[in-house]
């Protein structure tokens, strides 16, 4: 399957170079995220990008290639696993794949120790797309969500990795508990992934911004829309999946 976000540089990277950057995020999710960023640009929503858990940069590079001139980015990781060399690999990938490295700040840090100013400072303003993919324990996720919320553009998006992953079932509970305390926020899209590991990403935004994204996603990707919505009690969210179907149990 060939994926298209509407941004040529991202589409080239995701379809031709994605596997050259070791990482965990799916091509499908990178394309949807870049499409959302392209849509933000068209709506005049400008701002920066940030990611916790940048690793070798697989998803960060897609986000960075979707930024506009003048927009900045912050990539945060402890860069300890599998060795500190991972930070050098990230830098080499960014250079090789045409990212504006001068606009990207790479922070070697445990997000637990960061304050919002550590992110909005280097970025120099609100963040319009924030990918949270760091420590996969519920307390850390709530902390990272607080950081992302504190720096987000009012119409921005927070994207969460590894939701519903069999290995991290309590992350979804943490998101639900966090949303109960942040009544202005909701999940507006669940991005499924290509393989058997059920680890979708959730995209969150403020309630009043949801309509900006939902209609556009349904129009842009009708073939990937799973008709039955994702049920969140007080609202529903779109589900995008590479293979929309009901499970066949034989
Ligand atoms: C699953 S990998 C990220 C994959 C990457 N985003 C991608 O798309 O390929 C998770 C990363 O989070 C980092 N990490 C874990 N806990 C962290 C923390 N508390 N602060 C910053 N980074 C953390 C790890 O070092 C690891 O590189």
């Amino acid at each position: 399957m060939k994926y298209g976000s509407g941004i040529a540089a991202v589409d080239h990277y995701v379809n031709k170079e994605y596997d050259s950057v070791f990482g965990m995020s799916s091509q499908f999710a990178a394309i949807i995220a870049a499409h959302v960023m392209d849509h933000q640009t068209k709506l005049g929503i400008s701002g920066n990008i940030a990611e916790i858990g940048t690793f070798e940069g697989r998803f960060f590079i897609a986000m960075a290639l979707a930024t506009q001139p003048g927009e900045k980015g912050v990539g945060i990781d402890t860069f300890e696993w599998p060795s500190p060399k991972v930070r050098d690999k990230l830098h080499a990938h960014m250079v090789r794949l045409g990212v504006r490295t001068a606009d990207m700040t790479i922070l070697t840090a445990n997000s637990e120790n960061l304050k919002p100013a550590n992110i909005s400072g280097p970025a120099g303003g609100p963040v319009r797309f924030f990918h949270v993919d760091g420590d996969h324990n519920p307390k850390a996720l709530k902390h990272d969500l607080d950081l992302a919320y504190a720096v987000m553009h009012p119409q921005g998006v927070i994207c969460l990795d590894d939701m519903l992953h069999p290995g991290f079932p309590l992350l979804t509970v943490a998101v639900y508990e966090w949303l109960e305390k942040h009544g202005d926020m909701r999940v507006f899209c669940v991005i499924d992934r290509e393989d058997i590991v059920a680890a979708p990403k959730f995209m969150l935004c403020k309630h009043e911004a949801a309509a900006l994204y939902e209609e556009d996603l349904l129009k842009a990707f009708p073939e990937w829309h799973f008709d039955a919505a994702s049920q969140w009690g007080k609202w529903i969210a779109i589900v995008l999946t590479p293979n929309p179907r009901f499970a066949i149990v034989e």
Side-chain angles (χ1 to χ4, degrees):
M1 185 187 296
K2 197 167 179 333
Y3 296 119
S5 70
I7 302 176
V10 176
D11 295 351
H12 175 82
Y13 163 60
V14 173
N15 287 299
K16 306 269 187 221
E17 300 282 355
Y18 207 63
D19 289 344
S20 71
V21 181
F22 180 55
M24 292 77 184
S25 291
S26 71
Q27 287 174 293
F28 185 68
I31 285 294
I32 305 281
H35 172 89
V36 165
M37 287 187 62
D38 189 40
H39 184 59
Q40 289 179 326
T41 301
K42 288 174 179 147
L43 291 173
I45 300 170
S46 94
N48 302 305
I49 58 164
E51 183 181 54
I52 297 173
T54 302
F55 192 54
E56 284 195 24
R58 178 177 265 207
F59 199 78
F60 188 73
I61 289 166
M63 291 162 62
L65 292 173
T67 58
Q68 294 295 300
E71 293 179 329
K72 296 189 185 315
V74 184
I76 299 151
D77 204 298
T78 51
F79 294 116
E80 286 165 342
W81 179 81
S83 85
K85 284 195 189 135
V86 68
R87 186 181 162 132
D88 301 332
K89 282 193 182 176
L90 163 66
H91 183 72
H93 290 317
M94 289 200 298
V95 171
R96 175 174 64 84
L97 294 163
V99 171
R100 300 188 319 277
T101 49
D103 289 330
M104 301 295 143
T105 300
I106 303 303
L107 288 180
T108 301
N110 186 326
S111 65
E112 192 186 7
N113 303 321
L114 295 181
K115 302 265 179 290
N118 297 117
I119 296 169
S120 54
V127 173
R128 66 164 161 133
F129 200 97
F130 200 128
H131 187 220
V132 177
D133 191 8
D135 190 336
H136 283 35
N137 85 61
K139 190 166 169 240
L141 175 60
K142 283 184 185 172
H143 171 81
D144 291 351
L145 268 166
D146 286 342
L147 274 179
Y149 181 74
V151 300
M152 77 180 277
H153 185 293
Q155 294 170 317
V157 171
I158 301 174
C159 182
L160 306 178
D161 187 61
D162 278 342
M163 298 293 107
L164 309 172
H165 188 300
F168 308 105
L170 294 184
L171 290 187
T172 314
V173 179
V175 173
Y176 192 70
E177 286 172 357
W178 187 87
L179 284 169
E180 288 284 284
K181 292 194 174 145
H182 295 79
D184 57 335
M185 294 288 290
R186 57 171 287 185
V187 175
F188 70 91
C189 182
V190 176
I191 311 175
D192 197 13
R193 58 181 299 148
E194 294 100 340
D195 70 16
I196 190 69
V197 178
K201 292 189 197 288
F202 289 170
M203 287 198 286
L204 283 65
C205 69
K206 301 221 180 222
H207 281 288
E208 61 267 26
L212 297 177
Y213 297 111
E214 287 165 335
E215 200 184 322
D216 170 69
L217 285 171
L218 292 177
K219 218 175 349 164
F221 303 118
E223 75 279 26
W224 293 338
H225 179 222
F226 178 58
D227 276 342
S230 175
Q231 309 283 333
W232 285 85
K234 295 178 197 142
W235 71 85
I236 57 171
I238 293 169
V239 180
L240 295 177
T241 173
N243 188 7
R245 69 200 188 286
F246 286 98
I248 297 165
V249 181
E250 295 181 352

